[in-house]
Amino acid sequence: MSAAWLITILLALALAGFIVVRGRALASAGGDSRELHSLPSYYGYNAMLFVLVPSLLTLAAWLILQPIIIGASVRGDIPPEMLRDGQNMSLVMSDIRRVADGLDIAVSEGVISSEVARNIRTDFSDVRARLGEVGVALGSDVDQNILRSAQDYRAMTATGNTVRVFVILALGLAGLAL
């Protein structure tokens, strides 16, 4: 689920919290807002803040930190001999991200299955040609180390995105419960 959908769901939860808590505050005062300590809408805004602030701050931190952590993990798996050939680490990481994104595009367009994308090897098929079918331009043939790192990058990103959805929605629902 994309960050835009998460934000939309959080806004809906915040709006629901506003309506429910405002109504609950009015009901506790017997419908007379003069009996309340604050205006009824203030109670609703408080509920909105409990939903939105922790969730959006966590989402922002997650969106910043996830690529950094995954990149560091993938960088650690790159064999040193790849860098001895005069390649720069940033160029290698760029190739890895490009292949990973290409695999995602190929899966989403139905050119290859998700299972094939996870298990494809350079000695079994022409990865460059398959990714070229979906418009991913690669300058050279895909090395086995680049492909393996791209598959790891893709898997870690998918796992991180799934965990992100559950954590953000759990925070939103917890804020709603307060």
Side-chain angles (χ1 to χ4, degrees):
M1 181 181 302
S2 71
W5 278 110
L6 270 176
I7 291 171
T8 303
I9 292 170
L10 289 173
L11 289 173
L13 282 175
L15 181 62
F18 176 86
I19 293 168
V20 168
V21 171
R22 183 182 178 278
R24 192 180 319 147
L26 275 173
S28 72
D32 186 8
S33 63
R34 293 176 297 172
E35 297 291 322
L36 294 172
H37 179 268
S38 301
L39 294 173
S41 60
Y42 288 0
Y43 293 98
Y45 292 137
N46 193 32
M48 286 179 77
L49 290 175
F50 274 118
V51 171
L52 290 177
V53 171
S55 302
L56 291 178
L57 288 176
T58 303
L59 178 61
W62 200 293
L63 290 173
I64 292 168
L65 294 175
Q66 179 177 320
I68 294 169
I69 292 169
I70 291 173
S73 176
V74 170
R75 271 188 212 95
D77 294 339
I78 295 174
E81 58 269 6
M82 284 187 67
L83 299 176
R84 288 191 199 125
D85 296 336
Q87 287 190 337
N88 186 338
M89 179 62 83
S90 62
L91 293 175
V92 172
M93 285 305 296
S94 176
D95 285 345
I96 289 169
R97 282 190 298 271
R98 188 176 303 116
V99 171
D101 291 342
L103 290 172
D104 284 338
I105 292 168
V107 168
S108 69
E109 291 189 8
V111 173
I112 59 174
S113 69
S114 185
E115 183 68 27
V116 170
R118 268 192 309 276
N119 299 320
I120 194 170
R121 296 286 177 238
T122 57
D123 52 344
F124 293 126
S125 62
D126 187 12
V127 176
R128 183 178 178 202
R130 287 214 177 171
L131 295 181
E133 290 176 27
V134 294
V136 177
L138 297 173
S140 61
D141 288 333
V142 178
D143 179 66
Q144 184 65 35
N145 293 321
I146 297 287
L147 180 60
R148 189 176 323 109
S149 295
Q151 289 167 331
D152 291 345
Y153 186 91
R154 186 174 173 268
M156 286 186 269
T157 300
T159 302
N161 291 345
T162 301
V163 171
R164 179 186 71 206
V165 168
F166 287 113
V167 168
I168 300 303
L169 290 179
L171 281 172
L173 290 172
L176 192 60
L178 294 177

